[in-house]
């Protein structure tokens, strides 16, 4: 039960309920009694938000997103939407701030200007200057993703290492012996992008466990790069029959390149990956994928941050999810192809 429900049943605004809980502004005795009657009826207990309100906070959370010059992937948009939705349910606002390059000034204004009560950071690198800056500032924060020292912060994350390993094992079970990994962009991986490095580790381990031939490549986050990437893979590795990927934005281009090469998915070539469920289900054929629960992770991140705002001394919490691989239409038994002349 949240403040919005109490407001609806009491016939007052959310802000009036907040003022009644916090004592920040005067509320008439009659209104206060009506609100209290609803609270008693529902068995509501003021949560961390109400405690924070009493301390005169901004009731705003910061969400640090990738640079505005980059189109967000469906998965990234899912994280943004879930954080905004979870914050709204807690009667909090969200301030979006891009980071990276010329956008670092925006990030510094959020951190140094105390415009927010706490921050959620996305797309975290193994060594991340934003995390270092937040730790130095003392501002409560939570990561969607984790650095190479995960014990030093609170975070929620997807277990990319395990999920890519599962994808490889699924493909191997179908008889595929030559499998590729299509990662995120070379720039991101070189900069220490956590999911990219963990996907590499999971791929390398699974290939070794199944005694497969594996090849790894990077690809920018757009469909045209997916076309170019698969064209190169087919030219350089003509025996390749499947790929695993964490680059959902490139997948439509990968499908297109295979079609242009006369290869049908999944009859001639299989693709599996880690992606947002709606994205995976709307591809043709639908993508066999570990469906990332962005709504669940965003809600966990907001919950963690509210707790840290109310009590910055609480121990760090970690949520690592590894959803099952949903079998759809993009994977099938391996079919050997004759090398093209």
């Amino acid at each position: 039960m949240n403040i919005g429900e109490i407001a609806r049943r009491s016939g007052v605004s959310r802000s009036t309920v907040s003022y009644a809980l916090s004592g920040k502004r005067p509320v008439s005795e009659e209104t206060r009694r009506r609100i209290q009657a609803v609270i008693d009826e529902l068995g509501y207990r003021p949560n961390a938000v109400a405690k924070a309100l009493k301390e005169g906070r901004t009731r705003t959370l910061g969400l640090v997103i990738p640079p505005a010059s980059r189109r967000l992937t469906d998965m990234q948009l899912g994280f943004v939407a879930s954080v905004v939705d979870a914050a709204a349910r807690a009667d909090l606002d969200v301030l979006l701030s891009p980071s990276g390059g010329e956008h670092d000034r925006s990030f510094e204004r959020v951190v140094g200007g105390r415009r927010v009560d706490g921050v959620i950071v996305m797309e975290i690198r193994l060594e991340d200057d934003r995390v270092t800056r937040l730790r130095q500032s003392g501002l409560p924060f939570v990561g969607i993703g984790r650095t190479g020292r995960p014990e030093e912060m609170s975070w929620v994350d997807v277990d990319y290492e395990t999920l890519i390993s599962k994808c490889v094992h699924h493909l191997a079970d179908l008889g595929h012996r030559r499998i590729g990994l299509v990662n995120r962009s070379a720039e991101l991986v070189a900069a220490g992008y956590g999911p990219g490095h963990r996907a590499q580790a999971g791929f390398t381990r699974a290939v070794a466990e199944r005694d497969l031939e594996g090849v790894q490549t990077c690809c920018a986050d757009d469909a045209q790069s997916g076309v170019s990437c698969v064209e190169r893979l087919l030219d350089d590795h003509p025996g390749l029959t499947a790929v695993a990927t964490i680059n959902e934005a490139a997948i439509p281009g990968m499908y297109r390149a295979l079609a242009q090469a006369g290869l049908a998915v999944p009859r001639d070539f299989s693709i599996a990956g880690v992606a947002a469920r709606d994205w995976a289900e709307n591809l043709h054929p639908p993508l066999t994928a570990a469906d990332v629960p962005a709504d669940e992770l965003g809600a966990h991140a907001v919950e963690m941050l509210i707790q840290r705002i109310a009590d910055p001394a609480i121990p760090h919490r970690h949520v690592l999810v590894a959803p099952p691989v949903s079998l759809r239409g993009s994977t099938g038994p391996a079919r050997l192809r004759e090398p093209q002349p």
Side-chain angles (χ1 to χ4, degrees):
M1 190 61 58
N2 59 33
I3 289 175
E5 180 64 11
I6 295 170
R8 186 183 69 80
R9 295 194 181 206
S10 303
V12 299
S13 67
R14 285 170 174 253
S15 59
T16 299
V17 176
S18 296
Y19 297 149
L21 289 171
S22 66
K24 194 174 182 180
R25 291 189 186 178
V27 174
S28 73
E29 188 59 34
E30 179 185 350
T31 300
R32 188 183 301 278
R33 282 199 302 269
R34 190 162 70 249
I35 292 171
Q36 188 61 52
V38 172
I39 289 173
D40 292 342
E41 177 188 350
L42 299 176
Y44 176 82
R45 295 294 178 269
N47 59 14
V49 177
K51 294 178 182 177
L53 288 171
K54 290 180 181 179
E55 298 171 10
R57 299 189 184 276
T58 67
R59 296 175 51 235
T60 302
L61 307 181
L63 177 59
V64 180
I65 61 175
S69 58
R70 280 173 37 197
R71 181 184 179 276
L72 297 184
T73 68
D74 271 46
M75 192 185 306
Q76 291 168 340
L77 287 171
F79 284 131
V80 172
S82 65
V83 167
V84 171
D85 184 59
R89 291 197 302 270
D91 201 31
L92 298 171
D93 296 324
V94 176
L95 173 65
L96 297 182
S97 172
S99 65
E102 71 276 14
H103 299 292
D104 283 341
R105 292 191 299 275
S106 172
F107 173 71
E108 187 57 39
R109 284 195 296 270
V110 169
V111 176
R114 295 289 171 170
R115 298 181 175 186
V116 298
D117 299 329
V119 172
I120 295 172
V121 191
M122 293 174 53
E123 299 287 282
I124 292 180
R125 300 174 179 179
L126 298 177
E127 296 288 339
D128 200 305
D129 292 341
R130 299 169 304 169
V131 170
T132 301
R133 176 70 180 92
L134 284 164
R135 292 184 66 214
Q136 292 171 345
S137 74
L139 188 65
F141 73 97
V142 170
I144 297 180
R146 63 201 194 276
T147 68
R149 294 179 296 279
E151 71 283 353
E152 295 181 350
M153 59 182 288
S154 293
W155 49 264
V156 300
D157 203 0
V158 177
D159 191 350
Y160 286 95
E161 182 171 347
T162 294
L163 295 182
I164 284 297
S165 177
K166 286 182 177 181
C167 288
V168 172
H169 282 290
H170 166 63
L171 293 168
D173 290 341
L174 291 170
H176 295 277
R177 305 298 302 166
R178 298 176 177 87
I179 301 174
L181 171 67
V182 177
N183 210 323
R184 298 284 295 278
S185 73
E187 293 78 11
L188 270 177
V189 174
Y193 177 61
H197 283 259
R198 294 179 180 109
Q200 287 178 336
F203 182 81
T204 300
R205 185 181 76 241
V207 164
E209 289 171 349
R210 299 300 291 267
D211 193 25
L212 307 174
E213 293 182 30
V215 58
Q216 301 188 34
T217 189
C218 291
C219 179
D221 296 342
D222 60 84
Q224 186 54 50
S225 296
V227 172
S228 303
C229 176
V230 167
E231 287 176 345
R232 288 195 308 272
L233 283 173
L234 295 177
D235 287 343
D236 297 343
H237 307 277
L240 202 70
T241 61
V243 297
T245 183
I246 64 169
N247 193 330
E248 65 174 19
I251 292 173
M254 295 164 63
Y255 275 40
R256 192 186 316 156
L258 291 167
Q260 290 170 354
L263 301 176
V265 177
R267 185 193 67 196
D268 304 309
F269 201 96
S270 289
I271 303 177
V274 182
R277 185 183 67 186
D278 289 346
W279 177 262
E281 290 178 340
N282 285 301
L283 289 167
H284 301 284
L287 181 71
T288 290
D291 302 330
V292 175
D295 52 349
E296 174 186 325
L297 288 176
H300 275 309
V302 171
E303 176 193 358
M304 282 186 189
L305 184 55
I306 289 173
Q307 291 174 345
R308 296 205 66 79
I309 291 169
D311 183 5
I314 63 172
H316 289 303
R317 289 178 55 201
H318 307 136
V319 173
L320 184 64
V321 300
V325 175
S326 297
L327 302 182
R328 300 191 179 97
S330 67
T331 54
R335 180 182 179 188
L336 296 180
R337 303 194 312 274
E338 294 295 330
Q340 298 296 314

